[in-house]
Coordinates of all heavy atoms in Angstrom, one line a residue:
M28 N 7.1 -78.2 9.4 CA 8.2 -78.7 8.7 C 8.8 -80.0 9.4 O 9.2 -80.9 8.7 CB 9.3 -77.7 8.5 CG 10.3 -78.0 7.5 SD 9.6 -78.3 5.9 CE 10.8 -77.6 4.9
A29 N 8.9 -79.9 10.7 CA 9.4 -81.0 11.5 C 8.5 -82.3 11.3 O 9.0 -83.4 11.2 CB 9.6 -80.6 12.9
I30 N 7.2 -82.0 11.3 CA 6.3 -83.2 11.2 C 6.5 -83.8 9.8 O 6.5 -85.0 9.7 CB 4.8 -82.7 11.4 CG1 4.7 -82.3 12.9 CG2 3.9 -83.8 11.0 CD1 3.3 -81.6 13.1
R31 N 6.6 -83.0 8.8 CA 6.8 -83.5 7.5 C 8.1 -84.3 7.4 O 8.1 -85.4 6.8 CB 6.9 -82.3 6.5 CG 7.1 -82.8 5.1 CD 7.0 -81.5 4.1 NE 7.4 -81.9 2.8 CZ 8.6 -81.6 2.2 NH1 9.4 -80.8 2.8 NH2 8.8 -82.0 1.0
N32 N 9.2 -83.8 7.9 CA 10.4 -84.6 7.9 C 10.3 -85.9 8.7 O 10.9 -86.9 8.2 CB 11.6 -83.7 8.5 CG 11.9 -82.6 7.6 OD1 11.7 -82.6 6.4 ND2 12.5 -81.5 8.2
E33 N 9.6 -85.9 9.8 CA 9.4 -87.1 10.6 C 8.6 -88.1 9.8 O 8.9 -89.3 9.8 CB 8.7 -86.8 11.9 CG 8.5 -88.0 12.8 CD 9.9 -88.6 13.3 OE1 10.9 -87.9 13.3 OE2 9.9 -89.8 13.5
Y34 N 7.6 -87.6 9.0 CA 6.8 -88.5 8.2 C 7.6 -89.2 7.1 O 7.5 -90.4 7.0 CB 5.7 -87.6 7.6 CG 4.9 -88.4 6.5 CD1 3.9 -89.3 6.9 CD2 5.1 -88.1 5.2 CE1 3.2 -90.0 5.9 CE2 4.4 -88.8 4.2 CZ 3.4 -89.7 4.6 OH 2.7 -90.4 3.6
F35 N 8.5 -88.4 6.5 CA 9.3 -89.0 5.4 C 10.3 -90.0 6.0 O 10.7 -91.0 5.5 CB 10.0 -87.9 4.6 CG 9.1 -87.2 3.7 CD1 8.9 -85.9 3.7 CD2 8.4 -88.0 2.7 CE1 8.0 -85.3 2.8 CE2 7.5 -87.4 1.8 CZ 7.3 -86.0 1.9
N36 N 10.8 -89.7 7.2 CA 11.7 -90.6 7.9 C 11.0 -91.9 8.3 O 11.6 -93.0 8.1 CB 12.3 -89.9 9.2 CG 13.4 -90.7 9.8 OD1 14.2 -91.3 9.1 ND2 13.4 -90.8 11.2
L37 N 9.8 -91.8 8.7 CA 9.0 -93.1 9.0 C 8.8 -93.9 7.7 O 8.8 -95.1 7.7 CB 7.7 -92.7 9.6 CG 7.7 -92.2 11.1 CD1 6.4 -91.7 11.6 CD2 8.3 -93.4 12.0
L38 N 8.5 -93.2 6.6 CA 8.2 -93.9 5.4 C 9.4 -94.7 4.9 O 9.3 -95.8 4.3 CB 7.9 -92.9 4.3 CG 6.4 -92.4 4.3 CD1 6.3 -91.3 3.2 CD2 5.4 -93.5 4.1
K39 N 10.6 -94.2 5.2 CA 11.9 -95.0 4.9 C 11.9 -96.3 5.5 O 12.6 -97.2 5.0 CB 13.1 -94.1 5.2 CG 13.3 -92.9 4.3 CD 14.5 -92.1 4.8 CE 14.6 -90.8 4.1 NZ 15.7 -90.0 4.6
H40 N 11.3 -96.5 6.7 CA 11.4 -97.7 7.5 C 10.2 -98.6 7.4 O 10.2 -99.7 8.0 CB 11.7 -97.3 9.0 CG 13.0 -96.6 9.1 ND1 13.1 -95.2 9.1 CD2 14.3 -97.0 9.3 CE1 14.3 -94.9 9.2 NE2 15.1 -95.9 9.3
I41 N 9.3 -98.2 6.6 CA 8.1 -99.1 6.5 C 8.4 -100.3 5.6 O 9.0 -100.1 4.5 CB 6.9 -98.3 5.9 CG1 6.4 -97.3 6.9 CG2 5.7 -99.2 5.5 CD1 5.3 -96.4 6.4
Q42 N 8.0 -101.4 6.0 CA 8.2 -102.6 5.2 C 7.0 -102.9 4.3 O 5.9 -103.2 4.9 CB 8.5 -103.9 6.0 CG 9.8 -103.8 6.8 CD 11.0 -103.9 5.8 OE1 11.0 -104.7 4.9 NE2 11.9 -102.9 5.9
I43 N 7.1 -102.8 3.0 CA 5.9 -103.0 2.1 C 5.9 -104.5 1.8 O 6.9 -105.1 1.4 CB 6.1 -102.2 0.8 CG1 6.3 -100.7 1.1 CG2 5.0 -102.5 -0.2 CD1 5.1 -100.0 1.7
P44 N 4.7 -105.1 2.0 CA 4.6 -106.5 1.6 C 4.9 -106.7 0.1 O 4.4 -106.0 -0.7 CB 3.2 -106.9 2.0 CG 2.5 -105.7 2.5 CD 3.5 -104.5 2.5
K45 N 5.7 -107.7 -0.2 CA 6.0 -108.1 -1.5 C 4.7 -108.6 -2.2 O 4.1 -109.5 -1.7 CB 7.1 -109.1 -1.6 CG 7.6 -109.4 -2.9 CD 8.8 -110.4 -2.9 CE 9.1 -110.9 -1.5 NZ 10.3 -111.8 -1.5
E46 N 4.4 -108.0 -3.4 CA 3.1 -108.5 -4.0 C 3.4 -108.5 -5.5 O 3.9 -107.6 -6.2 CB 2.1 -107.4 -3.8 CG 0.7 -107.7 -4.3 CD -0.3 -106.7 -4.0 OE1 -0.1 -105.8 -3.1 OE2 -1.4 -106.7 -4.6
V47 N 3.1 -109.7 -6.2 CA 3.3 -109.9 -7.6 C 2.0 -110.5 -8.1 O 1.5 -111.5 -7.6 CB 4.4 -110.8 -8.0 CG1 4.5 -111.0 -9.5 CG2 5.8 -110.2 -7.5
K48 N 1.3 -109.8 -9.0 CA 0.1 -110.3 -9.6 C 0.3 -110.4 -11.2 O 0.7 -109.4 -11.7 CB -1.1 -109.4 -9.4 CG -1.5 -109.4 -7.9 CD -2.8 -108.5 -7.8 CE -3.2 -108.5 -6.3 NZ -4.3 -107.6 -6.1
V49 N 0.0 -111.6 -11.7 CA 0.1 -111.7 -13.2 C -1.2 -112.3 -13.7 O -1.7 -113.3 -13.2 CB 1.2 -112.8 -13.5 CG1 1.3 -112.9 -15.0 CG2 2.6 -112.3 -12.9
E50 N -1.8 -111.5 -14.6 CA -3.1 -112.0 -15.2 C -2.9 -112.1 -16.7 O -2.3 -111.3 -17.4 CB -4.1 -110.9 -15.0 CG -4.4 -110.6 -13.5 CD -5.3 -109.4 -13.3 OE1 -6.0 -109.0 -14.2 OE2 -5.4 -109.0 -12.1
K51 N -3.5 -113.1 -17.3 CA -3.4 -113.4 -18.7 C -4.5 -112.5 -19.4 O -5.7 -112.5 -19.0 CB -3.7 -114.8 -19.0 CG -3.1 -115.3 -20.3 CD -2.8 -116.8 -20.3 CE -2.1 -117.1 -21.6 NZ -1.2 -118.2 -21.5
L52 N -4.1 -111.8 -20.4 CA -5.0 -110.9 -21.2 C -5.5 -111.6 -22.4 O -6.6 -111.4 -22.9 CB -4.3 -109.6 -21.6 CG -4.2 -108.5 -20.7 CD1 -3.5 -107.3 -21.3 CD2 -5.5 -108.1 -20.1
G53 N -4.7 -112.4 -23.0 CA -5.1 -113.1 -24.2 C -4.2 -114.4 -24.4 O -3.6 -114.8 -23.4
E54 N -4.1 -114.9 -25.6 CA -3.3 -116.1 -25.8 C -1.8 -115.9 -25.4 O -1.2 -116.8 -24.8 CB -3.3 -116.4 -27.3 CG -2.6 -117.7 -27.7 CD -3.5 -118.8 -27.4 OE1 -4.8 -118.7 -27.3 OE2 -3.0 -119.9 -27.3
D55 N -1.2 -114.7 -25.6 CA 0.2 -114.5 -25.4 C 0.5 -113.2 -24.7 O 1.6 -112.7 -24.7 CB 1.0 -114.6 -26.7 CG 0.5 -113.5 -27.7 OD1 -0.5 -112.9 -27.5 OD2 1.2 -113.4 -28.7
Q56 N -0.5 -112.6 -24.0 CA -0.4 -111.3 -23.3 C -0.7 -111.4 -21.9 O -1.6 -112.1 -21.5 CB -1.4 -110.3 -24.0 CG -0.7 -109.1 -24.5 CD -1.7 -108.1 -25.1 OE1 -2.9 -108.2 -25.0 NE2 -1.2 -107.1 -25.8
F57 N 0.1 -110.6 -21.1 CA 0.0 -110.6 -19.6 C 0.0 -109.2 -19.1 O 0.6 -108.4 -19.6 CB 1.1 -111.4 -18.9 CG 1.2 -112.8 -19.3 CD1 2.0 -113.2 -20.4 CD2 0.6 -113.8 -18.7 CE1 2.2 -114.5 -20.8 CE2 0.7 -115.1 -19.0 CZ 1.5 -115.5 -20.1
V58 N -0.8 -109.0 -18.0 CA -0.7 -107.8 -17.2 C 0.1 -108.2 -15.9 O -0.3 -109.1 -15.3 CB -2.0 -107.2 -16.8 CG1 -1.8 -106.0 -15.8 CG2 -2.8 -106.8 -18.0
V59 N 1.2 -107.5 -15.7 CA 2.0 -107.8 -14.5 C 2.0 -106.6 -13.6 O 2.3 -105.5 -14.0 CB 3.5 -108.1 -15.0 CG1 4.4 -108.4 -13.8 CG2 3.5 -109.3 -16.0
K60 N 1.7 -106.9 -12.3 CA 1.7 -105.8 -11.3 C 2.6 -106.3 -10.2 O 2.5 -107.4 -9.6 CB 0.3 -105.6 -10.7 CG -0.7 -105.1 -11.8 CD -2.1 -104.9 -11.2 CE -3.0 -104.5 -12.3 NZ -4.4 -104.4 -11.8
V61 N 3.5 -105.3 -9.8 CA 4.6 -105.6 -8.8 C 4.6 -104.5 -7.8 O 4.5 -103.3 -8.1 CB 6.0 -105.8 -9.4 CG1 7.0 -106.1 -8.3 CG2 6.0 -106.8 -10.5
R62 N 4.7 -104.9 -6.5 CA 4.8 -103.9 -5.4 C 5.7 -104.5 -4.4 O 5.5 -105.6 -3.9 CB 3.5 -103.5 -4.9 CG 3.5 -102.3 -4.0 CD 2.1 -101.9 -3.6 NE 1.9 -102.3 -2.3 CZ 0.9 -101.9 -1.5 NH1 0.1 -101.1 -1.9 NH2 0.9 -102.4 -0.3
C63 N 6.8 -103.7 -4.0 CA 7.7 -104.2 -2.9 C 8.5 -103.0 -2.4 O 8.3 -101.9 -2.9 CB 8.6 -105.3 -3.5 SG 9.6 -104.7 -4.9
N64 N 9.4 -103.3 -1.5 CA 10.3 -102.2 -1.0 C 11.2 -101.7 -2.1 O 11.5 -102.4 -3.0 CB 11.1 -102.7 0.2 CG 10.3 -103.0 1.4 OD1 9.4 -102.2 1.7 ND2 10.6 -104.0 2.2
R65 N 11.5 -100.4 -1.9 CA 12.5 -99.8 -2.8 C 13.9 -100.2 -2.6 O 14.2 -100.8 -1.5 CB 12.4 -98.3 -2.5 CG 12.2 -97.4 -3.6 CD 12.0 -96.0 -3.3 NE 12.7 -95.5 -2.1 CZ 12.9 -94.2 -1.9 NH1 12.6 -93.3 -2.8 NH2 13.5 -93.8 -0.8
G66 N 14.8 -100.0 -3.5 CA 16.2 -100.3 -3.4 C 16.7 -101.3 -4.4 O 15.9 -102.2 -4.9
G67 N 17.9 -101.2 -4.7 CA 18.5 -102.1 -5.6 C 18.1 -101.8 -7.1 O 17.4 -100.8 -7.3
D68 N 18.4 -102.7 -8.0 CA 18.1 -102.5 -9.4 C 16.9 -103.4 -9.7 O 17.0 -104.3 -10.6 CB 19.3 -102.8 -10.3 CG 20.4 -101.8 -10.1 OD1 20.0 -100.6 -9.8 OD2 21.5 -102.1 -10.3
K69 N 15.8 -103.3 -9.0 CA 14.6 -104.1 -9.2 C 14.1 -104.1 -10.6 O 13.8 -105.1 -11.3 CB 13.5 -103.8 -8.2 CG 13.9 -104.2 -6.8 CD 12.8 -104.0 -5.9 CE 13.1 -104.5 -4.5 NZ 14.2 -104.0 -3.9
L70 N 14.0 -102.9 -11.2 CA 13.5 -102.8 -12.5 C 14.3 -103.5 -13.6 O 13.8 -104.3 -14.4 CB 13.4 -101.3 -13.0 CG 12.8 -101.0 -14.4 CD1 11.4 -101.6 -14.5 CD2 12.9 -99.5 -14.7
V71 N 15.6 -103.4 -13.5 CA 16.6 -104.1 -14.4 C 16.4 -105.6 -14.2 O 16.3 -106.4 -15.2 CB 18.0 -103.7 -14.1 CG1 19.0 -104.5 -14.9 CG2 18.2 -102.2 -14.4
S72 N 16.3 -106.1 -12.9 CA 16.2 -107.5 -12.7 C 14.9 -108.1 -13.2 O 14.8 -109.2 -13.8 CB 16.3 -107.8 -11.2 OG 17.5 -107.5 -10.7
I73 N 13.8 -107.3 -13.1 CA 12.5 -107.7 -13.6 C 12.5 -107.8 -15.2 O 12.0 -108.7 -15.8 CB 11.4 -106.8 -13.1 CG1 11.2 -107.0 -11.6 CG2 10.1 -107.1 -13.8 CD1 10.3 -106.0 -10.9
V74 N 13.1 -106.8 -15.8 CA 13.1 -106.8 -17.2 C 14.0 -107.9 -17.7 O 13.7 -108.6 -18.7 CB 13.7 -105.4 -17.8 CG1 13.9 -105.4 -19.3 CG2 12.6 -104.3 -17.5
E75 N 15.1 -108.2 -17.0 CA 15.9 -109.4 -17.4 C 15.1 -110.7 -17.3 O 15.2 -111.6 -18.1 CB 17.1 -109.4 -16.5 CG 18.2 -108.4 -16.9 CD 19.4 -108.3 -15.9 OE1 19.3 -108.9 -14.8 OE2 20.3 -107.6 -16.3
A76 N 14.3 -110.8 -16.2 CA 13.4 -112.0 -16.1 C 12.5 -112.1 -17.3 O 12.2 -113.2 -17.8 CB 12.7 -111.9 -14.7
F77 N 11.9 -111.0 -17.6 CA 11.0 -111.0 -18.8 C 11.7 -111.5 -20.1 O 11.3 -112.3 -20.8 CB 10.4 -109.6 -19.2 CG 9.4 -109.1 -18.2 CD1 9.3 -107.7 -18.0 CD2 8.6 -109.9 -17.4 CE1 8.3 -107.2 -17.2 CE2 7.6 -109.4 -16.6 CZ 7.5 -108.1 -16.4
E78 N 13.0 -111.0 -20.2 CA 13.7 -111.4 -21.4 C 14.0 -112.9 -21.4 O 14.0 -113.5 -22.4 CB 15.1 -110.6 -21.4 CG 15.8 -110.6 -22.6 CD 17.0 -109.6 -22.6 OE1 18.1 -110.1 -22.0 OE2 16.8 -108.5 -23.0
E79 N 14.4 -113.4 -20.2 CA 14.7 -114.9 -20.1 C 13.5 -115.7 -20.4 O 13.6 -116.8 -20.9 CB 15.2 -115.2 -18.7 CG 16.6 -114.7 -18.4 CD 17.0 -114.8 -17.0 OE1 16.3 -115.6 -16.2 OE2 18.0 -114.2 -16.5
L80 N 12.3 -115.2 -20.1 CA 11.1 -115.9 -20.4 C 10.6 -115.7 -21.9 O 9.6 -116.3 -22.3 CB 9.9 -115.5 -19.5 CG 10.1 -115.9 -18.0 CD1 9.0 -115.2 -17.2 CD2 9.9 -117.4 -17.9
G81 N 11.3 -114.8 -22.6 CA 10.9 -114.5 -23.9 C 9.7 -113.6 -24.0 O 8.8 -113.7 -24.9
L82 N 9.6 -112.7 -23.1 CA 8.5 -111.7 -23.0 C 9.0 -110.3 -23.4 O 10.0 -109.9 -23.0 CB 7.9 -111.7 -21.6 CG 7.3 -113.0 -21.1 CD1 6.9 -112.8 -19.6 CD2 6.1 -113.4 -21.9
N83 N 8.2 -109.7 -24.2 CA 8.5 -108.3 -24.7 C 7.6 -107.3 -23.9 O 6.4 -107.6 -23.8 CB 8.3 -108.1 -26.1 CG 9.3 -108.8 -27.0 OD1 10.4 -108.9 -26.6 ND2 8.9 -109.2 -28.1
V84 N 8.1 -106.2 -23.4 CA 7.4 -105.2 -22.7 C 6.7 -104.3 -23.7 O 7.4 -103.7 -24.5 CB 8.2 -104.4 -21.7 CG1 7.4 -103.3 -21.0 CG2 8.9 -105.3 -20.7
V85 N 5.4 -104.3 -23.7 CA 4.7 -103.4 -24.6 C 4.5 -102.0 -24.0 O 4.6 -101.0 -24.7 CB 3.3 -104.0 -25.0 CG1 2.5 -103.1 -25.8 CG2 3.5 -105.4 -25.6
R86 N 4.1 -102.1 -22.7 CA 3.9 -100.8 -22.0 C 4.2 -101.0 -20.5 O 3.9 -102.1 -20.0 CB 2.4 -100.4 -22.2 CG 2.1 -99.0 -21.6 CD 0.7 -98.5 -21.9 NE -0.2 -99.3 -21.0 CZ -1.4 -99.6 -21.4 NH1 -1.9 -99.3 -22.6 NH2 -2.2 -100.3 -20.6
A87 N 4.8 -100.0 -19.9 CA 5.1 -100.2 -18.5 C 5.0 -98.8 -17.8 O 5.2 -97.8 -18.4 CB 6.5 -100.7 -18.3
R88 N 4.6 -98.9 -16.5 CA 4.5 -97.7 -15.7 C 5.2 -98.1 -14.4 O 4.9 -99.1 -13.7 CB 3.1 -97.3 -15.5 CG 2.9 -96.1 -14.6 CD 1.4 -95.6 -14.5 NE 0.5 -96.8 -14.5 CZ -0.7 -96.7 -14.8 NH1 -1.3 -95.6 -15.2 NH2 -1.5 -97.8 -14.6
V89 N 6.2 -97.3 -14.0 CA 7.0 -97.6 -12.7 C 7.0 -96.3 -11.8 O 7.1 -95.2 -12.3 CB 8.4 -97.9 -13.1 CG1 9.3 -98.1 -11.9 CG2 8.5 -99.1 -14.0
C90 N 6.8 -96.6 -10.5 CA 6.9 -95.5 -9.5 C 7.8 -96.1 -8.4 O 7.6 -97.2 -8.0 CB 5.5 -95.2 -9.0 SG 5.5 -94.0 -7.8
C91 N 8.6 -95.2 -7.9 CA 9.4 -95.6 -6.7 C 9.6 -94.4 -5.7 O 10.7 -94.2 -5.3 CB 10.7 -96.2 -7.2 SG 11.7 -95.2 -8.3
N92 N 8.5 -93.7 -5.5 CA 8.6 -92.6 -4.5 C 8.9 -93.2 -3.1 O 9.9 -92.9 -2.5 CB 7.3 -91.8 -4.5 CG 7.2 -91.0 -5.7 OD1 8.2 -90.6 -6.4 ND2 6.0 -90.6 -6.1
H93 N 8.0 -94.0 -2.6 CA 8.1 -94.5 -1.2 C 8.3 -96.0 -1.2 O 8.7 -96.6 -0.2 CB 6.9 -94.1 -0.3 CG 6.7 -92.6 -0.3 ND1 7.7 -91.8 0.3 CD2 5.8 -91.9 -0.7 CE1 7.3 -90.5 0.2 NE2 6.1 -90.5 -0.5
F94 N 7.9 -96.7 -2.3 CA 8.2 -98.1 -2.5 C 8.2 -98.3 -4.0 O 7.9 -97.4 -4.8 CB 7.0 -98.9 -1.9 CG 5.6 -98.6 -2.3 CD1 5.0 -99.1 -3.4 CD2 4.9 -97.6 -1.6 CE1 3.8 -98.8 -3.9 CE2 3.6 -97.2 -2.0 CZ 3.1 -97.8 -3.1
F95 N 8.6 -99.5 -4.4 CA 8.7 -99.8 -5.8 C 7.4 -100.4 -6.3 O 6.8 -101.3 -5.7 CB 9.8 -100.8 -6.1 CG 9.9 -101.3 -7.5 CD1 10.7 -100.6 -8.4 CD2 9.3 -102.4 -8.0 CE1 10.7 -100.9 -9.8 CE2 9.3 -102.8 -9.3 CZ 10.1 -102.0 -10.2
A96 N 6.8 -99.8 -7.4 CA 5.6 -100.3 -8.0 C 5.7 -100.3 -9.5 O 6.3 -99.3 -10.0 CB 4.4 -99.4 -7.5
M97 N 5.3 -101.3 -10.1 CA 5.3 -101.4 -11.5 C 4.1 -102.1 -12.1 O 3.6 -103.1 -11.5 CB 6.5 -102.2 -12.0 CG 6.7 -102.3 -13.5 SD 8.0 -103.5 -14.0 CE 7.1 -105.0 -14.1
E98 N 3.5 -101.6 -13.2 CA 2.5 -102.3 -13.9 C 2.9 -102.3 -15.4 O 3.3 -101.3 -15.9 CB 1.2 -101.5 -13.8 CG 0.0 -102.2 -14.4 CD -1.3 -101.5 -14.2 OE1 -1.5 -101.0 -13.1 OE2 -2.1 -101.5 -15.1
A99 N 2.9 -103.5 -15.9 CA 3.4 -103.7 -17.3 C 2.5 -104.6 -18.1 O 1.8 -105.5 -17.5 CB 4.8 -104.2 -17.3
I100 N 2.4 -104.4 -19.4 CA 1.8 -105.4 -20.3 C 2.9 -106.0 -21.1 O 3.8 -105.3 -21.7 CB 0.8 -104.7 -21.2 CG1 -0.4 -104.1 -20.4 CG2 0.3 -105.6 -22.3 CD1 -1.4 -103.3 -21.2
V101 N 3.0 -107.3 -21.0 CA 4.1 -108.0 -21.8 C 3.4 -109.0 -22.7 O 2.4 -109.5 -22.5 CB 5.0 -108.7 -20.8 CG1 5.8 -107.7 -19.9 CG2 4.3 -109.7 -19.9
V102 N 4.2 -109.3 -23.8 CA 3.7 -110.2 -24.8 C 4.8 -111.3 -25.1 O 6.0 -110.9 -25.2 CB 3.4 -109.5 -26.1 CG1 3.0 -110.4 -27.2 CG2 2.3 -108.4 -25.9
A103 N 4.4 -112.5 -25.2 CA 5.3 -113.6 -25.5 C 5.8 -113.5 -26.9 O 5.0 -113.2 -27.8 CB 4.6 -114.9 -25.3
Q104 N 7.1 -113.7 -27.1 CA 7.7 -113.7 -28.4 C 7.4 -115.0 -29.1 O 7.3 -116.0 -28.4 CB 9.2 -113.6 -28.3 CG 9.8 -112.3 -27.7 CD 11.3 -112.4 -27.4 OE1 11.9 -113.3 -27.9 NE2 11.7 -111.4 -26.7
D105 N 7.2 -115.0 -30.3 CA 7.1 -116.2 -31.2 C 6.0 -117.1 -30.7 O 6.1 -118.3 -30.7 CB 8.4 -117.0 -31.2 CG 9.6 -116.1 -31.7 OD1 9.3 -115.3 -32.6 OD2 10.7 -116.3 -31.2
Q106 N 4.9 -116.5 -30.1 CA 3.8 -117.3 -29.7 C 4.1 -118.4 -28.7 O 3.5 -119.5 -28.7 CB 3.0 -117.9 -30.9 CG 2.6 -116.9 -31.9 CD 1.6 -115.9 -31.4 OE1 0.7 -116.2 -30.6 NE2 1.8 -114.6 -31.8
Q107 N 5.1 -118.2 -27.9 CA 5.5 -119.1 -26.9 C 4.4 -119.3 -25.9 O 3.7 -118.4 -25.6 CB 6.8 -118.7 -26.1 CG 8.0 -118.7 -26.9 CD 9.2 -118.2 -26.1 OE1 9.0 -117.7 -25.0 NE2 10.4 -118.4 -26.6
T108 N 4.2 -120.5 -25.3 CA 3.2 -120.7 -24.3 C 3.9 -120.5 -23.0 O 4.8 -121.2 -22.6 CB 2.6 -122.1 -24.4 OG1 3.6 -123.1 -24.4 CG2 1.8 -122.2 -25.6
T109 N 3.5 -119.4 -22.3 CA 4.1 -119.1 -21.0 C 2.9 -119.1 -20.0 O 1.9 -118.5 -20.3 CB 4.8 -117.7 -21.0 OG1 5.7 -117.7 -22.0 CG2 5.5 -117.4 -19.7
K110 N 3.1 -119.6 -18.8 CA 2.1 -119.7 -17.8 C 2.3 -118.6 -16.8 O 3.4 -118.1 -16.5 CB 2.2 -121.1 -17.0 CG 2.0 -122.2 -18.0 CD 2.1 -123.5 -17.2 CE 1.9 -124.7 -18.2 NZ 2.1 -126.0 -17.5
T111 N 1.1 -118.1 -16.2 CA 1.2 -117.0 -15.3 C 2.0 -117.4 -14.1 O 2.7 -116.6 -13.5 CB -0.3 -116.6 -14.8 OG1 -0.9 -117.8 -14.2 CG2 -1.1 -116.1 -15.9
K112 N 2.0 -118.7 -13.7 CA 2.8 -119.1 -12.5 C 4.3 -119.0 -12.8 O 5.1 -118.6 -11.9 CB 2.5 -120.6 -12.2 CG 3.2 -121.1 -11.0 CD 2.8 -122.6 -10.8 CE 3.6 -123.1 -9.6 NZ 3.3 -124.6 -9.4
D113 N 4.7 -119.3 -14.1 CA 6.1 -119.2 -14.4 C 6.6 -117.7 -14.4 O 7.7 -117.4 -13.9 CB 6.4 -119.7 -15.8 CG 6.1 -121.2 -15.9 OD1 6.2 -121.9 -14.8 OD2 5.9 -121.7 -17.0
V114 N 5.7 -116.8 -14.9 CA 6.0 -115.3 -14.8 C 6.1 -114.8 -13.4 O 7.1 -114.2 -13.0 CB 5.0 -114.5 -15.6 CG1 5.3 -113.1 -15.6 CG2 4.9 -115.0 -17.1
T115 N 5.2 -115.3 -12.6 CA 5.1 -114.8 -11.2 C 6.4 -115.3 -10.5 O 7.1 -114.5 -9.7 CB 3.9 -115.4 -10.5 OG1 2.7 -115.0 -11.1 CG2 3.8 -115.0 -9.0
Q116 N 6.8 -116.6 -10.6 CA 8.0 -117.1 -10.0 C 9.2 -116.4 -10.4 O 10.1 -116.1 -9.6 CB 8.1 -118.6 -10.2 CG 7.0 -119.4 -9.5 CD 7.0 -119.2 -8.0 OE1 8.1 -119.2 -7.4 NE2 5.9 -119.1 -7.4
A117 N 9.3 -116.1 -11.7 CA 10.5 -115.4 -12.2 C 10.6 -114.0 -11.7 O 11.7 -113.6 -11.3 CB 10.5 -115.3 -13.8
I118 N 9.5 -113.3 -11.5 CA 9.6 -112.0 -11.0 C 9.9 -112.0 -9.5 O 10.7 -111.2 -9.0 CB 8.2 -111.2 -11.2 CG1 8.1 -111.0 -12.7 CG2 8.2 -109.9 -10.5 CD1 6.7 -110.5 -13.1
L119 N 9.3 -112.9 -8.8 CA 9.6 -113.1 -7.3 C 11.1 -113.4 -7.1 O 11.8 -112.8 -6.2 CB 8.8 -114.2 -6.7 CG 7.3 -113.8 -6.4 CD1 6.5 -115.0 -6.1 CD2 7.2 -112.7 -5.4
K120 N 11.7 -114.2 -8.0 CA 13.1 -114.5 -7.9 C 13.9 -113.3 -8.2 O 14.9 -113.0 -7.5 CB 13.4 -115.6 -8.9 CG 14.8 -116.1 -8.8 CD 15.0 -117.3 -9.8 CE 16.4 -117.7 -9.9 NZ 16.7 -118.7 -10.9
A121 N 13.5 -112.5 -9.2 CA 14.3 -111.3 -9.5 C 14.2 -110.3 -8.4 O 15.2 -109.6 -8.1 CB 13.7 -110.6 -10.8
I122 N 13.1 -110.1 -7.7 CA 12.9 -109.2 -6.6 C 13.8 -109.7 -5.4 O 14.5 -108.9 -4.8 CB 11.5 -109.1 -6.2 CG1 10.6 -108.4 -7.2 CG2 11.3 -108.3 -4.8 CD1 9.2 -108.4 -7.0
D123 N 13.8 -111.0 -5.1 CA 14.5 -111.5 -4.0 C 16.0 -111.3 -4.3 O 16.8 -111.1 -3.3 CB 14.2 -113.0 -3.8 CG 12.8 -113.2 -3.2 OD1 12.3 -112.2 -2.6 OD2 12.2 -114.3 -3.3
K124 N 16.4 -111.4 -5.5 CA 17.8 -111.2 -5.9 C 18.3 -109.8 -5.5 O 19.5 -109.6 -5.2 CB 18.0 -111.5 -7.4 CG 19.4 -111.4 -7.9 CD 19.5 -111.9 -9.3 CE 19.3 -110.8 -10.3 NZ 19.5 -111.3 -11.7
Q125 N 17.4 -108.9 -5.5 CA 17.7 -107.5 -5.3 C 17.4 -107.1 -3.8 O 17.3 -106.0 -3.5 CB 16.9 -106.6 -6.2 CG 17.4 -106.6 -7.6 CD 18.8 -106.2 -7.7 OE1 19.3 -105.3 -7.1 NE2 19.6 -106.9 -8.5
G126 N 17.1 -108.1 -3.0 CA 16.8 -107.8 -1.6 C 15.4 -107.3 -1.3 O 15.2 -106.4 -0.5
G127 N 14.4 -107.9 -2.0 CA 13.0 -107.5 -2.1 C 12.2 -107.3 -0.9 O 11.3 -106.6 -0.7

C-alpha cells in the first residue's frame, strides 16, 4: 500500500510535455489530439477556442486521470476554411491560458 501511495504521489509531480496534433480529415473536418498536465479548466478553454474558430465538436473523448488528454473530431461551421496551423495555435494558447 505504501508503494502504491508513493507511486501516485510521484505521478502528481511528473511534467507531461505539452502536445497538440491537428490533422485534416476532409474539406472541413479535423482530428484534434491534446496532451498536457492536468489542472485548470483546460477542456472549457479548448472548447471556447473551437467556438471562436467556428468549429463544432462532433465527437470527443477526454481523460484526466494522471494528465489531461483529449481526442476530438471537429467540423467547420458554414464551410469556413480553417487551417490546421490556426487550430493548433488556438489550442496551445488555450492550454497556456490555463497554466499548461
Side-chain angles (χ1 to χ4, degrees):
M28 191 63 143
I30 292 172
R31 181 176 171 252
N32 289 338
E33 183 63 27
Y34 171 75
F35 286 123
N36 189 37
L37 286 172
L38 283 175
K39 290 178 187 176
H40 296 92
I41 292 176
Q42 293 294 312
I43 303 298
K45 188 176 4 181
E46 183 179 345
V47 176
K48 291 183 182 178
V49 179
E50 299 172 15
K51 204 158 188 153
L52 280 181
E54 188 78 21
D55 59 350
Q56 234 180 16
F57 300 91
V58 174
V59 178
K60 297 178 184 179
V61 179
R62 193 172 102 162
C63 58
N64 286 323
R65 233 174 30 157
D68 291 331
K69 288 183 177 57
L70 180 60
V71 172
S72 293
I73 291 170
V74 171
E75 287 173 348
F77 288 154
E78 195 173 84
E79 289 173 14
L80 289 171
L82 299 171
N83 290 325
V84 178
V85 175
R86 185 175 74 214
R88 182 174 37 201
V89 177
C90 177
C91 54
N92 288 337
H93 303 295
F94 55 88
F95 176 86
M97 181 186 92
E98 183 174 324
I100 296 177
V101 295
V102 177
Q104 299 173 9
D105 304 324
Q106 305 298 322
Q107 291 180 350
T108 53
T109 306
K110 298 178 182 173
T111 57
K112 182 180 178 182
D113 296 337
V114 177
T115 302
Q116 291 301 318
I118 294 170
L119 286 169
K120 184 177 176 184
I122 292 170
D123 287 342
K124 184 169 88 172
Q125 290 299 321

